[in-house]
Amino acid sequence: MTHAISVTDLTKMFGDFTAVDHISFNVEQGEVFGFLGPNGAGKTTTTRMLTGISTPTTGTATIMDHEIHSFAAKERMGVVTDLSNVYNDLSAWDNLIFTGKLYGLSRQKREQKAEELLEMFGLLEVRKDNVREFSGGMKRRLTIAMALINDADVLFLDEPTTALDVQSVRRIRELIRELNAEGTTIFLTTHNMAEANELCSRIAIINQGRIGTIGSPEELKQAMNKMHSIEVAFDRQLDSLKEKMEELRTVSSVQKQGDKFWIFTHSPPEALAEIFTLAQHHDLKLLTVNTLGPSLEDVFLEITGEQIVQRGKSQMGGMKQNRGGK
Ligand SMILES: Nc1ncnc2c1ncn2[C@@H]1O[C@H](COP(=O)(O)OP(=O)(O)O)[C@@H](O)[C@H]1O
Ligand SMILES: [Mg+2]
């Protein structure tokens, strides 16, 4: 069967820096394929290569069996980049009509598609308003609509919900599900595990330009469930306290972080009960107790045994950005 996307050994170098490092995978028709990774992992670079915006250093890829730079491939795909490509000085209607013209659609076809998409994306009433007055969520919806004017079979979405308010995020996720239900294959990049879990049929985890693993949301969920952690601090030090905690039945591992301990467990309530008992037994007082959701870093380590390293601009303070998220 024709793969929606087929990627073989795709690599992108910037000078001597390897942004994407010999990745290979297939996306089947009808899938929502998640491309999950931290900032700087190579998600946008991959998306740009797959959509013909940037040329691979080595490797090949096809969209519906057509080589990525071919006109036939371009005809089958829609792209929503991480940079909005709407014209602020035009109305939503004019943006769609203009995009339709770029794709060479007939006047009748582009007007019919524009109306249909504005309706589906909840923008029909504001179609004559200047896009400048749109909220971030409305603009993002319009960008996705524009990517669909050509009846794309494969839609690329690069972090479509980043920096939007909760309601807009929910709306966009609903739209992704609707589009997929209507038969559109979706390639979705995200740094948000919950989003990947909620929307995707399969998820590739990318780290430093390499795919660490491709699995189902269930596998990711299982790893996430194992990786809850509790942060505790005691009123005094005690010899081999770390080892004592590691021996507890519900504790998988313990890391010392300054004067605090991070305790990894599949069941925070049971682990906490055990830690309370241990503390009482040694006459220790608990000064801090925090439960933390798993971070992408924790889960990646659990699945692949490899450490995630953040690269690029947002390196500072990035390590814990997902901690505490659902
Ligand atoms: N045009 C470029 N020139 C040099 N380095 C780049 C360029 N584009 C991206 N990079 C680097 O490649 C790496 C991957 O970037 P990117 O694909 O944007 O990551 P992501 O989208 O996963 O956050 C980062 O370290 C980034 O700084
Ligand atoms: Mg990116």
Side-chain angles (χ1 to χ4, degrees):
M1 202 178 89
T2 300
H3 299 299
I5 307 172
S6 181
V7 177
T8 312
D9 237 13
L10 205 64
T11 300
K12 181 76 185 185
M13 316 253 328
F14 294 111
D16 55 9
F17 174 74
T18 311
V20 174
D21 195 357
H22 297 89
I23 59 169
S24 300
F25 59 90
N26 293 322
V27 177
E28 306 310 332
Q29 292 179 49
E31 276 199 291
V32 180
F33 187 84
F35 208 56
L36 172 68
N39 275 323
K43 303 182 296 295
T44 296
T45 306
T46 302
T47 307
R48 289 170 62 87
M49 286 192 282
L50 294 180
T51 53
I53 299 168
S54 120
T55 311
T57 307
T58 59
T60 55
T62 58
I63 307 294
M64 302 296 285
D65 276 351
H66 302 290
E67 196 278 320
I68 33 175
H69 284 284
S70 66
F71 181 70
K74 293 223 165 77
E75 262 191 336
R76 313 301 287 274
M77 67 169 103
V79 189
V80 180
T81 59
D82 57 350
L83 307 166
S84 175
N85 54 349
V86 294
Y87 292 95
N88 279 319
D89 295 327
L90 297 180
S91 66
W93 176 262
D94 289 341
N95 265 288
L96 279 160
I97 295 298
F98 178 70
T99 313
K101 273 188 197 164
L102 288 182
Y103 274 106
L105 303 186
S106 71
R107 181 178 173 157
Q108 194 203 353
K109 174 82 182 160
R110 59 183 186 249
E111 289 186 353
Q112 178 214 324
K113 270 310 281 189
E115 189 155 341
E116 192 185 303
L117 287 164
L118 286 166
E119 166 101 65
M120 177 174 189
F121 284 72
L123 297 169
L124 200 55
E125 305 219 315
V126 292
R127 68 187 179 283
K128 297 223 176 91
D129 295 356
N130 212 305
V131 169
R132 193 178 298 291
E133 285 146 38
F134 279 18
S135 69
M138 288 159 81
K139 258 192 215 177
R140 196 70 57 89
R141 276 185 270 148
L142 178 61
T143 344
I144 302 176
M146 284 159 67
L148 291 165
I149 195 102
N150 196 32
D151 285 324
D153 295 315
V154 185
L155 180 64
F156 289 86
L157 297 170
D158 194 0
E159 309 232 18
T161 61
T162 297
L164 294 182
D165 60 281
V166 181
Q167 234 174 335
S168 301
V169 168
R170 196 175 306 141
R171 191 71 210 279
I172 287 191
R173 290 185 187 162
E174 273 166 22
L175 283 165
I176 293 173
R177 274 191 291 267
E178 271 174 52
L179 288 167
N180 181 245
E182 288 175 6
T184 312
T185 305
I186 294 180
F187 182 89
L188 171 83
T189 86
T190 180
H191 63 261
N192 181 325
M193 282 189 291
E195 177 161 288
N197 265 330
E198 185 184 323
L199 293 173
C200 301
S201 48
R202 279 190 307 143
I203 298 164
I205 304 188
I206 177 165
N207 177 33
Q208 295 190 73
R210 283 192 293 264
I211 291 180
T213 180
I214 300 183
S216 66
E218 284 67 36
E219 288 167 90
L220 187 66
K221 234 176 242 149
Q222 270 179 15
M224 280 169 74
N225 285 340
K226 263 200 228 161
M227 296 309 291
H228 286 288
S229 57
I230 307 167
E231 187 183 64
V232 293
F234 299 97
D235 62 339
R236 60 190 174 84
Q237 304 290 324
L238 185 72
D239 278 351
S240 58
L241 182 56
K242 179 172 177 289
E243 288 73 19
K244 286 189 174 72
M245 287 193 287
E246 274 168 343
E247 282 163 16
L248 297 173
R249 190 179 53 87
T250 53
V251 170
S252 346
S253 65
V254 180
Q255 273 176 31
K256 194 156 191 320
Q257 297 284 338
D259 61 341
K260 297 190 176 70
F261 293 93
W262 280 355
I263 295 152
F264 293 92
T265 170
H266 58 274
S267 172
E270 286 182 278
L272 266 179
E274 287 195 313
I275 287 160
F276 277 126
T277 312
L278 182 81
Q280 268 181 341
H281 186 78
H282 293 281
D283 204 22
L284 294 169
K285 277 205 189 70
L286 278 162
L287 295 181
T288 319
V289 179
N290 287 310
T291 56
L292 308 165
S295 70
L296 184 54
E297 289 77 13
D298 297 336
V299 170
F300 190 82
L301 187 65
E302 165 70 19
I303 295 176
T304 65
E306 271 179 50
Q307 206 91 41
I308 271 185
V309 179
Q310 302 250 346
R311 307 186 299 183
K313 332 179 246 306
S314 32
Q315 208 150 17
M316 300 275 288
M319 276 309 276
K320 282 201 242 164
Q321 63 176 1
N322 291 305
R323 191 164 282 284
K326 287 167 284 145

